[in-house]
Amino acid sequence: MSVSRQKKVYLPSATRKNQYITIGFPLTDEYLNAYSSLETCYDEFSKLVYQLAEKQELYNVHVVTTDKLPMVRFHSEAYCLSSNEQLRFFYNPAHHEANRLHSTPGFRARKLRIVFLATGDDLRSNAASFHTKIQKFIAELKPLLPVKDVPIKIRDHQHISYDFFAKAKGLKETYGYKLRAVDSRYQRRHCELPENVSTLNYVTINIPVDRRIKKQLLANDTVDFGAVYQTVYDKFIQATQSKQLKRVAMVANGKLPLVRNSKYEQLTSTDEFQMIGFDPHAQSPEPIGHWDSNKLVDVFRFVIVAGKSDETDEGYGRFMNQVEDALRMFTQDFDIDKEHVDVILRFHQHISYKAQ
């Protein structure tokens, strides 16, 4: 492969893109005392949010007062699913708009959170413009809040997702991506960020455990699945290490991996989330494996985190080519129906910082 080609990764033309930005701040006693009731606080805050969002041409905005973590995915229909710990937004950025307050009667949130879902056709090209609109929104919002100097945290989430076996399904057309770092892209488009921005770039891979996989891996009397998970884990580590991918994890306990920068955050897993922590600056971190030997999961979940050495001026194209090469090696040992089963890769890019 030529040097110029290594700088890009060629993904299916049907690759889907998402971007959403969350901002939030603590709901203190001082803030709440400015209103006659909890419900009035939520209602007045949401009305203010929608009014200011309209001025900035932000058309898919959600106020969340349930302390549930927003998760966003592409879908041809727009809907929101709620669990004990998550709010899952499904929507098509090209078509769907909404303003909605997500609250539970009588529940006092630890923080007030706003979720801005990007809208339009070319999300990556317009990502800096979308982020700038959020910055302007915050600048207008802060003076109107009943408490001054509220500490607002901004989290910008972007990801692209595609089926690793798209070609086996007849989808031959591809498009080259350099996958530049978010802060670098924003700088080129005159979107100003503070110096102390936390960044995280990683890939998640989901492999469904269907009937063919079960037949291949399981004996008829298997009740302890630990040996099965260990075998899959060992093969994954072998494949990733062969491509110099050092920050890796496998999760097979029914929980959703939640990747965080362990340098800055305390990591505590929950009933629904398996926290995965890596310091991008660490040179040789230990691989991570979490599984429950007493049950067989529906999906094997894998995480590959990019380190500082994986970031180049051109972007993360080389890193993604390494990921694809490792996955190609890893999956060749498994009986996967490539023409029908979707193995979804999702490349995540996150930045976060405190608003000035």
Side-chain angles (χ1 to χ4, degrees), residues 47-326:
K47 290 176 182 177
L48 175 61
V49 166
Y50 304 146
Q51 178 184 356
L52 296 180
E54 184 74 20
K55 290 177 61 177
Q56 297 299 332
E57 298 179 331
L58 299 165
Y59 299 130
N60 205 325
V61 182
H62 300 259
V63 175
V64 179
T65 64
T66 57
D67 289 335
K68 296 181 181 181
L69 187 66
M71 306 292 286
V72 179
R73 296 292 183 263
F74 180 96
H75 202 277
S76 57
E77 298 182 50
Y79 55 95
C80 178
L81 299 179
S82 178
S83 69
N84 289 336
E85 300 178 23
Q86 302 176 57
L87 272 181
R88 285 183 165 266
F89 296 96
F90 296 84
Y91 83 116
N92 184 337
H95 303 300
H96 297 141
E97 301 175 358
N99 286 339
R100 182 177 171 186
L101 169 62
H102 302 264
S103 64
T104 300
F107 177 82
R108 175 176 170 174
R110 293 191 302 272
K111 67 169 57 177
L112 294 176
R113 179 183 281 127
I114 310 171
V115 182
F116 301 90
L117 306 183
T119 56
D121 294 313
D122 199 343
L123 298 191
R124 285 187 73 84
S125 295
N126 294 317
S129 174
F130 180 53
H131 194 98
T132 299
K133 289 180 179 180
I134 305 302
Q135 291 176 326
K136 292 179 179 178
F137 171 92
I138 294 173
E140 290 199 12
L141 174 68
K142 291 187 74 171
L144 301 177
L145 297 176
V147 176
K148 304 305 178 186
D149 299 322
V150 171
I152 295 180
K153 184 73 171 288
I154 302 174
R155 298 180 185 271
D156 189 330
H157 306 257
Q158 301 173 39
H159 47 80
I160 60 175
S161 57
Y162 61 98
D163 176 15
F164 184 66
F165 294 126
K167 287 185 178 179
K169 299 176 179 65
L171 303 176
K172 306 295 185 181
E173 186 177 353
T174 62
Y175 182 83
Y177 292 85
K178 289 186 176 181
L179 301 178
R180 288 191 175 93
V182 173
D183 49 356
S184 175
R185 284 159 46 205
Y186 283 10
Q187 184 178 15
R188 296 185 184 200
R189 295 182 182 271
H190 308 291
C191 175
E192 298 297 328
L193 298 175
E195 291 185 5
N196 56 337
V197 173
S198 175
T199 65
L200 196 59
N201 299 269
Y202 63 94
V203 174
T204 58
I205 304 147
N206 296 336
I207 299 182
V209 184
D210 65 0
R211 180 165 48 89
R212 285 170 57 160
I213 291 286
K214 292 177 183 177
K215 185 177 180 180
Q216 178 189 7
L217 295 178
L218 302 179
N220 291 333
D221 57 349
T222 299
V223 292
D224 183 352
F225 302 103
V228 173
Y229 294 144
Q230 186 69 56
T231 298
V232 175
Y233 174 79
D234 290 343
K235 289 180 179 294
F236 177 66
I237 300 304
Q238 181 181 6
T240 51
Q241 288 185 345
S242 72
K243 300 302 176 182
Q244 293 76 53
L245 299 167
K246 301 176 181 179
R247 300 161 185 84
V248 299
M250 169 180 160
V251 176
N253 56 13
K255 298 182 181 183
L256 190 68
L258 200 59
V259 184
R260 292 291 185 261
N261 188 328
S262 59
K263 181 179 180 180
Y264 298 108
E265 299 194 37
Q266 297 295 320
L267 304 177
T268 303
S269 295
T270 67
D271 291 340
E272 297 184 18
F273 293 111
Q274 180 65 59
M275 304 301 290
I276 303 293
F278 284 103
D279 180 352
H281 295 273
Q283 293 300 312
S284 299
E286 289 294 319
I288 295 172
H290 294 284
W291 56 76
D292 184 346
S293 299
N294 296 316
K295 66 179 180 180
L296 181 64
V297 293
D298 297 327
V299 181
F300 294 139
R301 302 185 187 276
F302 304 92
V303 177
I304 304 176
V305 179
K308 294 302 294 183
S309 60
D310 296 308
E311 180 182 342
T312 68
D313 291 338
E314 290 80 15
Y316 289 92
R318 179 177 178 274
F319 167 74
M320 279 298 290
N321 280 314
Q322 290 175 283
V323 170
E324 288 209 339
D325 288 344

